[in-house]
């Protein structure tokens, strides 16, 4: 796909209870961003609070 991202956000945290959705999104963005996954909102929030990184939130329903 594209070049590796060198901008401000270099990691995407994908939070979704459907593993297929997470894998599809990871595949789409993995050439450009490092990917983190969480299976639900609680795990995602824990990941955010534990890592204390800047992040961009995208809500997709």
């Amino acid at each position: 796909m594209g070049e590796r991202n060198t901008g401000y956000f270099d990691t995407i945290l994908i939070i979704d209870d459907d593993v297929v959705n997470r894998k599809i999104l990871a595949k789409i963005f993995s050439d450009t961003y490092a990917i983190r996954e969480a299976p639900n909102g609680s795990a995602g929030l824990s990941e955010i609070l534990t890592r204390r990184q800047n992040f961009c939130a995208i809500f997709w329903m």
Side-chain angles (χ1 to χ4, degrees), residues 21-33:
N21 288 344
R22 290 197 315 269
K23 296 304 176 191
I24 290 170
L25 290 171
K27 179 70 174 163
I28 290 169
F29 292 109
S30 64
D31 286 344
T32 308
Y33 297 93

Side-chain angles (χ1 to χ4, degrees), residues 5-30:
N5 178 47
T6 57
Y8 190 71
F9 299 109
D10 61 357
T11 302
I12 294 178
L13 172 60
I14 300 170
I15 305 168
D16 196 311
D17 60 348
D18 186 335
V19 70
V20 173
N21 288 344
R22 290 197 315 269
K23 296 304 176 191
I24 290 170
L25 290 171
K27 179 70 174 163
I28 290 169
F29 292 109
S30 64

Side-chain angles (χ1 to χ4, degrees), residues 28-52:
I28 290 169
F29 292 109
S30 64
D31 286 344
T32 308
Y33 297 93
I35 303 296
R36 305 287 307 170
E37 294 183 34
N40 57 52
S42 292
L45 182 58
S46 178
E47 180 81 13
I48 291 165
L49 295 175
T50 300
R51 295 199 172 269
R52 297 280 187 180

